[in-house]
Amino acid sequence: MEKKKILEVRNLKTYFYTEDGVVKAVDGVSFEVYEGETLGIVGESGCGKSVTSLSILRLLDEKGRIEEGEILFKGKNLLDLSEDEMREIRGNEIAMIFQEPMTALNPVYTIGDQIMEAIILHQKVSEQKARKIAIEMLKKVGIPEPEKRIDEYPHELSGGMRQRAMIAMALSCNPSILIADEPTTALDVTIQAQILELMKELQREYGMSIIMITHDLGVIAEMADRVLVMYAGKVVEYADVRDLFKDPHHPYTWGLMNSIPRLDVEYERLNAIPGVVPDALHFPEGCRFRNRCEFATNKCAEEPPLVEVKANHFSACWHIDELRKTMKLAQEGETA
């Protein structure tokens, strides 16, 4: 049975107007999210991943502006809604968990107060009923002694427990989409694995879709069904997760894969993508990756379109054939 499309982002452009100039943080991004699936958005810091998620929820600061595009949620364009209508969707139909729960949670309110606020606002239930739901949610996300923890403040919980409390808050209204912005970055590896496993369990139970934003390809391999690779505000590759890891079609994606240390290969030196992400105020003309790309030619001064290179696999590169030859030679060298 074909999955139903729940969110569609079309040609999204989000710019920030600063004293130094216009920052094109998200510049023509398109993708879709289907019911019950996880879409991974991956890329280096500053590539526009988080701005994309904040644009969906219309949570930009006063300098940010959505210049163009459509964000269709269940067929309704979120950019046409009033602030009151948007408030009904935020936290209720589309929820978000953030990278560092200590800054996302209010330090002067108890965990229970913060979860109950969302439940009372969206579900229109009594305080007593909201408290009962909040305790149930804390239990569901694996917080021990939820009846006691509900009255504790964020600083009284460990980082992993705070992140679990954030997940409980996000899921308290049973959203259709959960946006997880680097949800495990501030946590140690063991806790990270527990949080990812918890999210998968809750996704199975609630049938919600997840947008997983990260710079960690390990998290993408673990969680995602499909992957959007972003670089400097643009989508450079978009594919099924298995296909992307097995057969990348963009030099940037290949560079990211190559920079992950492998246990089955001996290195004299770890591979790295040369240079740094360009300044958002001065992106290069044409392909924004060309100043760091070993395959770049004069042709790359023209912007490459995002095209379907094989079934459901999209890439924005003029030199895919050269990349494929180099990858093949590298693979033959490894097996030799």
Side-chain angles (χ1 to χ4, degrees):
M1 197 173 77
E2 199 176 323
K3 281 192 173 178
K4 200 172 160 193
K5 201 181 287 180
I6 191 168
L7 179 76
E8 189 173 3
V9 174
R10 294 181 187 160
N11 195 33
L12 178 66
K13 296 186 179 182
T14 303
Y15 298 169
F16 288 84
Y17 292 83
T18 70
E19 290 169 8
D20 299 318
V22 180
V23 174
K24 295 181 177 180
V26 174
D27 200 11
V29 166
S30 299
F31 61 87
E32 58 278 324
V33 180
Y34 292 89
E35 280 185 347
E37 76 154 4
T38 299
L39 174 75
I41 303 182
V42 68
E44 291 171 86
S45 296
C47 72
K49 309 183 297 289
S50 294
V51 175
T52 300
S53 65
L54 293 170
S55 300
I56 291 169
L57 287 169
R58 284 176 39 190
L59 285 174
L60 303 166
D61 66 30
E62 67 275 4
K63 288 179 182 170
R65 198 187 306 158
I66 295 171
E67 288 294 339
E68 208 176 299
E70 292 180 305
I71 301 168
L72 302 170
F73 173 66
K74 296 180 177 177
K76 195 187 295 179
N77 189 359
L78 299 184
L79 302 183
D80 292 339
L81 302 186
S82 68
E83 186 51 40
D84 284 346
E85 288 171 318
M86 222 25 237
R87 209 172 282 128
E88 278 298 308
I89 284 173
R90 276 189 217 117
N92 188 26
E93 299 237 44
I94 305 176
M96 187 162 180
I97 53 176
F98 297 88
Q99 176 168 354
E100 180 31 85
M102 198 60 206
T103 53
L105 291 166
N106 192 323
V108 300
Y109 290 100
T110 65
I111 294 295
D113 283 339
Q114 294 181 67
I115 298 173
M116 285 159 61
E117 182 184 16
I119 296 166
I120 291 166
L121 176 70
H122 293 298
Q123 296 189 28
K124 312 286 189 282
V125 296
S126 68
E127 203 170 309
Q128 195 178 357
K129 174 75 172 161
R131 185 179 172 88
K132 200 175 169 187
I133 296 169
I135 289 170
E136 195 54 47
M137 285 310 302
L138 290 174
K139 192 182 289 178
K140 199 157 267 184
V141 298
I143 290 183
E145 301 180 275
E147 296 83 357
K148 177 174 168 254
R149 297 284 187 181
I150 194 169
D151 296 317
E152 290 184 353
Y153 290 87
H155 71 270
E156 296 179 275
L157 302 179
S158 67
M161 286 296 170
R162 280 197 294 269
Q163 195 58 287
R164 285 170 187 269
M166 278 283 292
I167 295 170
M169 191 188 305
L171 299 186
S172 60
C173 294
N174 195 8
S176 302
I177 300 177
L178 175 67
I179 300 173
D181 187 1
E182 303 269 15
T184 58
T185 301
L187 308 173
D188 68 51
V189 181
T190 326
I191 304 298
Q192 191 176 77
Q194 289 174 10
I195 294 293
L196 293 178
E197 193 48 49
L198 170 67
M199 288 174 73
K200 282 202 285 193
E201 275 172 35
L202 293 169
Q203 182 179 34
R204 281 192 292 269
E205 185 176 338
Y206 288 96
M208 66 188 171
S209 307
I210 295 176
I211 299 175
M212 174 66 71
I213 295 166
T214 182
H215 62 270
D216 187 336
L217 284 170
V219 170
I220 289 292
E222 172 82 12
M223 294 290 291
D225 297 302
R226 289 180 308 117
V227 189
L228 192 78
V229 182
M230 287 185 70
Y231 183 81
K234 295 273 186 191
V235 177
V236 295
E237 192 160 3
Y238 185 29
D240 173 87
V241 66
R242 286 187 185 83
D243 199 25
L244 187 91
F245 276 85
K246 189 177 156 194
D247 196 18
H249 271 65
H250 194 280
Y252 177 60
T253 313
W254 190 51
L256 287 178
M257 307 270 187
N258 269 349
S259 60
I260 302 170
R262 281 171 50 182
L263 297 175
D264 60 334
V265 178
E266 277 192 33
Y267 296 97
E268 280 185 25
R269 190 174 172 182
L270 196 62
N271 291 311
I273 299 171
V276 292
V277 179
D279 175 4
L281 285 163
H282 306 104
F283 284 140
E285 288 292 311
C287 175
R288 292 180 179 178
F289 186 59
R290 69 192 178 104
N291 294 351
R292 304 173 70 188
C293 180
E294 62 181 281
F295 303 99
T297 63
N298 292 339
K299 175 74 174 166
C300 302
E302 293 174 43
E303 187 178 325
L306 187 72
V307 293
E308 192 166 13
V309 288
K310 58 189 211 181
N312 300 316
H313 193 140
F314 299 81
S315 176
C317 179
W318 294 117
H319 300 299
I320 289 171
D321 291 341
E322 288 85 338
L323 167 68
R324 313 281 300 126
K325 282 178 203 158
T326 307
M327 281 170 57
K328 194 168 180 232
L329 287 170
Q331 283 160 359
E332 284 167 3
E334 278 176 21
T335 51

